[in-house]
Amino acid sequence: MKNSSADNQYVGKKVFIGIDVHKRTYSVVSVMEGVVIKKWQTSASPEKLATQLKSYYLGAEIYTAYEAGFSGFVLHRTLELAGINSIVVNPGSIEVAVHNRVKTDKRDALKIATLLEAKRLRAIRIPSEENEQERILSRTREQLIGERSTMQNMIRMKGHQFGLIAPEDRRTMSHLFVAELIEASPSPEFSLAINAYWKIWKSLDAEIKIIEQELKKQAKSDPNEKIYRSAPGIGPISARVLSNELGDMSQFANERQLFSYTGLTPSEHSSGDNIRRGHITRQGNRRVRRILCESAWTAIKKDKELREFFERLCSRTGKKKAIVAVAHKLIGRIRAAFRQGSIYQMNIIS
């Protein structure tokens, strides 16, 4: 294929670009008017790709898309800055044919380009650079807590392995518990292994504490804090996660947009005139969804209306689906508080 500017072959045309992002390379496929016009692989440099696209398709209106993931939004921002239309999409929202599950880099890029041209891709919300930096604290805390749980589980497994923890022992892993295990150690090797995990656990405790202190400072300067904390079930950490992930919720044009972002939108299966709604899509922000569902359990103990709503649903849907519905209602009410510029109005259980 010739990419000459002499014949102006792309002037006034729309070119759709699918990008499969990897750590070291980008696999790129371009489509125009339903036809693949170029496939190539390039180094994972946002600036280099932007330059390539502008030179290959001189005079064209360029649209690009790639899946959200480890690479963040640097590529998106670089493309936009270069005057190239860019969206980032949730990987779970990309259509997969029932009998076509083979994955290759170029095939994935082609699929993205084709769906982009067909307007069958929906962009996720892109945080500001400042907001992305603020998220580092709450997300890092979550990761460190996960690492700490791993160390605790390692210690428990070693205790089970050598008969020091009975199968029916459901005690929460604590520092006192670990001290008891070492006291009953069957060998120096066992003690060494447990102490190795324990040292990492203590180190993680210290780092988590530092981050939580910074989160407290962050909360003091955050104008959204007051509204989030006024909602039932939303504690200091939950408020930090929600504020860092959602910000001022009045920015969501409607509840549908908000529910889509949180993944609390029910999935829908249509056949003819029949529409059946099932489980939530789980395609949105998993951190927000987890926090909301956890908060909902506390909220039904404090808010009378939410409690009554939960009890009405529970008998026919079960507790899990009912609590997701409560989380759905809770986040909608918090958004309403933001739009009204007031704290959450709660019907307190007496």
Side-chain angles (χ1 to χ4, degrees):
M1 184 197 75
K2 294 181 180 180
N3 284 307
S4 171
S5 60
D7 56 7
N8 296 321
Q9 58 182 320
Y10 297 117
V11 173
K13 302 285 188 177
K14 291 183 178 181
V15 178
F16 299 88
I17 311 293
I19 309 166
D20 194 44
V21 177
H22 294 274
K23 186 177 179 180
R24 294 186 176 85
T25 61
Y26 298 149
S27 287
V28 191
V29 174
S30 58
V31 173
M32 185 176 71
E33 297 174 353
V35 178
V36 175
I37 53 176
K38 187 174 177 63
K39 297 180 181 180
W40 74 99
Q41 189 174 79
T42 186
S43 58
S45 165
E47 293 78 11
K48 182 178 180 179
L49 179 59
T51 300
Q52 288 175 343
L53 294 176
K54 297 286 283 186
S55 63
Y56 291 170
Y57 308 112
L58 194 63
E61 194 173 345
I62 306 171
Y63 295 84
T64 67
Y66 68 93
E67 296 178 356
F70 73 94
S71 61
F73 306 107
V74 174
L75 173 57
H76 167 80
R77 294 186 181 115
T78 302
L79 293 172
E80 287 279 322
L81 195 62
I84 296 169
N85 301 288
S86 170
I87 65 169
V88 183
V89 300
N90 189 308
S93 68
I94 295 177
E95 300 168 15
V96 179
V98 175
H99 300 295
N100 186 20
R101 296 185 180 273
V102 177
K103 281 180 66 65
T104 65
D105 299 346
K106 288 183 179 178
R107 180 174 289 194
D108 289 346
L110 173 58
K111 186 190 302 178
I112 293 170
T114 303
L115 292 173
L116 181 62
E117 184 176 34
K119 298 181 179 179
R120 285 158 61 185
L121 291 179
R122 184 162 53 187
I124 65 169
R125 173 176 166 268
I126 307 297
S128 67
E129 291 185 63
E130 180 184 7
N131 185 213
E132 198 171 10
Q133 294 301 319
E134 290 169 343
R135 288 178 177 180
I136 289 177
L137 288 180
S138 48
R139 289 190 175 190
T140 301
R141 177 186 176 275
E142 178 188 23
Q143 290 163 347
L144 293 179
I145 286 176
E147 291 295 322
R148 184 173 66 183
S149 295
T150 298
M151 293 303 107
Q152 292 168 343
N153 289 335
M154 290 290 192
I155 293 171
R156 185 180 289 277
M157 287 167 63
K158 283 286 188 290
H160 280 299
Q161 181 182 350
F162 291 96
L164 300 180
I165 301 177
E168 65 275 7
D169 192 336
R170 302 293 183 184
R171 280 181 293 172
T172 301
M173 188 59 67
S174 66
H175 292 295
L176 178 60
F177 196 174
V178 179
E180 290 175 3
L181 286 176
I182 292 176
E183 184 72 24
S185 172
S187 70
E189 291 83 0
F190 178 87
S191 298
L192 185 66
I194 297 300
N195 269 308
Y197 292 132
W198 199 12
K199 285 177 183 176
I200 298 173
W201 175 357
K202 290 175 181 176
S203 175
L204 289 168
D205 278 345
E207 296 304 324
I208 290 167
K209 188 175 181 180
I210 291 170
I211 289 177
E212 287 178 346
Q213 290 300 319
E214 290 301 312
L215 285 170
K216 287 180 182 178
K217 294 178 184 177
Q218 189 185 78
K220 289 180 180 178
S221 60
D222 184 359
N224 300 324
E225 177 76 4
K226 185 177 180 180
I227 294 179
Y228 279 114
R229 287 300 307 278
S230 69
I234 307 296
I237 297 299
S238 300
R240 286 296 81 228
V241 174
L242 293 177
S243 185
N244 287 339
E245 299 293 334
L246 298 174
D248 180 344
M249 281 202 285
S250 60
Q251 67 183 299
F252 291 95
N254 50 56
E255 286 195 342
R256 183 183 180 87
Q257 191 181 90
L258 171 62
F259 297 149
S260 176
Y261 182 76
T262 59
L264 289 172
T265 303
S267 57
E268 188 174 288
H269 308 277
S270 302
S271 177
D273 295 330
N274 298 317
I275 298 176
R276 181 165 53 86
R277 290 181 173 83
H279 297 287
I280 56 175
T281 61
R282 299 185 185 276
Q283 289 179 6
N285 189 310
R286 62 174 180 80
R287 293 176 179 86
V288 170
R289 190 165 59 248
R290 178 179 57 79
I291 289 293
L292 287 173
C293 289
E294 289 175 357
S295 299
W297 285 110
T298 303
I300 60 175
K301 298 174 184 177
K302 297 181 177 181
D303 189 306
K304 184 179 179 182
E305 289 183 17
L306 290 180
R307 178 69 185 181
E308 291 173 349
F309 176 69
F310 172 78
E311 290 175 343
R312 284 199 306 272
L313 288 179
C314 199
S315 59
R316 68 174 190 268
T317 67
K319 289 184 178 181
K320 287 186 178 180
K321 286 186 178 180
I323 208 66
V324 169
V326 171
H328 191 280
K329 186 176 283 290
L330 177 64
I331 195 66
R333 287 185 171 186
I334 297 173
R335 173 180 173 271
F338 271 101
R339 289 176 63 82
Q340 294 162 10
S342 63
I343 62 172
Y344 184 101
Q345 300 300 312
M346 180 167 52
N347 191 342
I348 300 173
I349 295 176
S350 56

